[in-house]
């Protein structure tokens, strides 16, 4: 990267854009989010400007299997927060299939009820950049939305893969949504997802099997003594009717109070930033390399040579890096 | 990295290890796989040596939701291949929870039937290295297993997250396993996973709803005309009884024949290598950086400063990279 253009005081255009989104201009916010999501040349400056306005919002990650009713739950929570005059930003991470109409349509539907509400903003992460990194881009998007003055950020992911789990894990409070009738699925889900829960929600709890799911969670908790002194509560909800949303909010607040003690929130955010800084560094290094030598064209040629046995990738990669790295 | 020690002819120890695993020494194979999975200092050399012996095996990726019976299906296929004197390697990617006994126990159970069979080797990827990259390590492990002379590699993943999907996608043939009664889940799964299928399997097809799942797949296929001239067949199986395994094998062979035409296999593997080379480069750059300046200690300090607002990460990261990159 060019250090001069990417670091330091923002150029007038970026300064104005950030000032406008800070004043509640929704179009400026949407534009800034798009620039960041698209990794536009100004993205780094926008983030650098926005970062100073972040740190005080509560980030709530909500994850679980597809079809668990996460969106409805997020909407319910958002509505509740708005009813208390708390401003809300939502980042919905649900990589979209070329088969579907795409996230933009989904956003429109979900935004309908909040259309005239400047205290609410929702953004779906539809695209996965060519360099990957949905976790990075959603974290960046959250920075911009928080800078617009949102007090609570709800980050919703389909929490079945590592990428999506990582996103939820980067929140201050992580809510894992289960549903009755998952049967053995709680067993399979527990790889990765059960450990990250600060709060469990059993949604659709009017269905048969709610007791069973809760019992399974409890059984697993008894095996995992090392989780520390916070034992994740299990909250039952029926998101479609709003039942249990108040209890969920209380659980979130209780966990937030617990986090505030003994610098736990700071420690948690430090862990998050360690992972995030590494990801940022890795990403920037790759950008640099792509700009010099490892162009798409060069990469295509090398890939062909590897497949046809003319190149050994394990010999080649160190050679590729040699001219880039200062010793 | 130190180019001299990592590139070029292997040292005698590595040469011997690779020679032994090539001769069918299972302990040598297991040891080489562990060294590669653990990213031991000799890992790069082992991979470099092994790479020359790869390229001819057929790689079959098998993915789907948890609980879909993938392991049983993989075992069934493996048994069938072995019955035809075709050697088989299995890489089972299922990140293991601290709650469970771990992959090693699972390996033992799954290996029981193959114990005395030198033509079969199974390895579960239990660990996710501190630097992430399950896709990279499983691809590396597959290189070592293939170098031991296995003619078919079965790569099994819980295909619900991007990481796992990426692993399955890096195969020559990708099989997506569905089960009846998923209901709306086919809809939610299609983000990412439906597009990568070369072959669909409806497992547990004696259950109610097999027709429905197949119909849903067909409906989605009619929307996705751009997939090219190969229309993924839907194979019904009951993995526990072995029903349909023969048909699955035929579908795999048909797709393999299709791939052999018009250099499709080469084109496909080139696409895979483009992604993999980038990943390798990114990983090596990070290793380099971790060795100089960005130690765990430094990272902890910086993270603290970021959380407490003393550092702006978007200003810091370019500064961190400056001394590393040669201009």
């Amino acid at each position: 990267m060019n250090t001069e253009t990417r670091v330091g005081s923002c150029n007038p255009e970026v300064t104005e854009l950030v000032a406008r989104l800070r004043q509640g201009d929704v179009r400026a916010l949407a534009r800034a989010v798009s620039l960041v999501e698209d990794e536009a040349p100004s993205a780094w400056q926008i983030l650098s400007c926005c970062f100073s306005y972040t740190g005080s919002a509560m980030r709530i990650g909500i994850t679980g299997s597809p079809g668990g009713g996460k969106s409805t739950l997020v909407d319910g929570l958002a509505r509740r927060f708005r009813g208390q005059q708390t401003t809300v930003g939502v980042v919905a991470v649900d990589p979209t299939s070329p088969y579907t109409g795409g996230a933009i349509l989904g956003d429109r539907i979900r935004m309908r009820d909040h259309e005239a509400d400047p205290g609410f903003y929702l953004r779906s992460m539809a695209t996965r950049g060519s360099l990957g990194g949905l976790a990075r881009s959603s974290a960046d998007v959250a920075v911009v939305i928080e800078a617009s003055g949102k007090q609570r950020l709800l980050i919703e992911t389909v929490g079945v893969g590592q990428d999506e789990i990582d996103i939820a894990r980067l929140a201050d409070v992580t809510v894992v949504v289960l549903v009755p009738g998952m049967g053995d699925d709680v067993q399979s889900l527990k790889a990765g997802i059960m450990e990250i829960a600060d709060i469990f929600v059993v949604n659709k709890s009017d269905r048969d099997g709610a007791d069973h799911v809760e019992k399974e969670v409890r059984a697993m908790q008894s095996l995992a003594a090392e989780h520390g002194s916070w034992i994740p509560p299990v909250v039952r909800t029926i998101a479609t009717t709003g039942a249990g949303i108040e209890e969920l909010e209380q659980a979130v607040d209780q966990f937030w109070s617990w986090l505030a003690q003994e610098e736990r929130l700071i420690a948690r955010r430090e862990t998050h930033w360690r992972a995030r800084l590494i990801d940022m560094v890795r990403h920037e290094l790759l950008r640099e390399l792509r700009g010099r030598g490892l162009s798409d064209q060069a990469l295509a040629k090398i890939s062909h040579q590897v497949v046809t046995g003319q190149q050994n990738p394990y010999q080649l990669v160190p050679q590729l890096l040699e001219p880039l790295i200062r010793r």
Side-chain angles (χ1 to χ4, degrees), chain A:
Chain A
M1 75 225 66
N2 183 328
T3 311
E4 264 177 56
T5 62
R6 305 195 65 183
V7 175
S9 58
C10 295
N11 72 34
E13 237 171 285
V14 167
T15 309
E16 206 209 308
L17 185 68
V18 173
R20 275 170 51 209
L21 74 87
R22 296 266 309 143
Q23 284 154 20
D25 181 336
V26 178
R27 272 184 304 175
L29 174 54
R31 183 164 155 66
V33 167
S34 294
L35 289 167
V36 164
E37 194 182 356
D38 298 346
E39 298 194 39
S42 58
W44 204 267
Q45 274 205 19
I46 294 172
L47 287 163
S48 179
C49 280
C50 285
F51 181 77
S52 352
Y53 305 109
T54 62
S56 57
M58 184 200 295
R59 286 162 185 251
I60 308 170
I62 298 185
T63 190
S65 303
K70 286 181 300 298
S71 307
T72 319
L73 210 58
V74 164
D75 287 353
L77 269 181
R79 235 173 274 269
R80 206 175 156 78
F81 294 149
R82 291 301 299 129
Q84 300 154 356
Q85 310 307 320
T86 305
T87 52
V88 175
V90 178
V91 183
V93 183
D94 194 349
T96 306
S97 155
Y99 284 100
T100 69
I104 294 166
L105 182 66
D107 278 9
R108 285 208 192 121
I109 293 165
R110 295 185 59 179
M111 277 299 290
R112 216 181 302 160
D113 292 343
H114 302 277
E115 207 135 22
D117 179 1
F120 179 89
Y121 182 79
L122 178 144
R123 180 69 166 224
S124 285
M125 303 290 299
T127 52
R128 181 182 299 276
S130 57
L131 303 178
L134 197 52
R136 187 189 52 255
S137 17
S138 56
D140 285 346
V141 163
V143 164
V144 178
I145 296 178
E146 186 182 349
S148 80
K150 303 300 179 284
Q151 295 160 299
R152 303 226 169 169
L153 295 176
L154 295 163
I155 299 152
E156 171 195 334
T157 77
V158 179
V160 272
Q162 194 54 41
D163 217 14
E164 287 70 26
I165 288 174
D166 283 346
I167 296 167
R169 201 168 47 89
L170 293 181
D172 300 319
V173 185
T174 303
V175 178
V176 169
V177 182
L178 306 170
V179 283
M182 299 177 72
D184 300 336
D185 282 1
V186 171
Q187 288 292 330
S188 16
L189 270 183
K190 74 187 169 189
I193 200 168
M194 299 305 278
E195 292 87 344
I196 63 166
D198 301 310
I199 297 165
F200 286 102
V201 164
V202 177
N203 193 30
K204 308 187 181 180
S205 63
D206 50 340
R207 291 196 187 171
D208 281 350
D211 287 335
H212 182 69
V213 173
E214 182 164 347
K215 209 184 285 174
E216 280 203 53
V217 171
R218 297 282 181 221
M220 257 180 277
Q221 285 180 334
S222 66
L223 294 175
E226 76 279 13
H227 197 305
S229 61
W230 175 263
I231 296 166
V234 180
V235 181
R236 295 195 185 194
T237 59
I238 308 170
T240 46
T241 68
I245 300 289
E246 189 179 342
E247 288 74 14
L248 175 55
E249 191 203 358
Q250 285 165 0
V252 168
D253 285 342
Q254 272 163 22
F255 184 68
W256 186 249
S257 306
W258 182 83
L259 271 184
Q261 297 157 34
E262 297 170 29
E263 303 216 310
R264 287 185 190 114
L265 179 62
I266 289 176
R268 189 176 175 122
R269 287 184 171 179
E270 278 175 23
T271 308
H272 300 169
W273 271 106
R274 273 206 288 279
R276 219 172 131 190
L277 282 167
I278 284 189
D279 185 53
M280 285 168 73
V281 161
R282 188 157 42 183
H283 186 61
E284 285 308 303
L285 282 169
L286 186 62
R287 273 173 74 113
E288 184 75 22
L289 191 63
R290 300 279 286 169
R292 312 199 253 148
L294 203 65
S295 63
D296 280 334
Q297 216 176 353
L299 199 58
K301 189 180 157 202
I302 294 167
S303 302
H304 182 76
Q305 291 171 335
V306 167
V307 172
T308 52
Q310 301 163 65
Q311 284 274 12
N312 182 327
Y314 299 98
Q315 287 179 15
L316 184 69
V317 166
Q319 287 163 14
L320 279 174
L321 296 183
E322 206 45 42
L324 181 73
I325 291 171
R326 188 184 283 171
R327 303 213 172 261

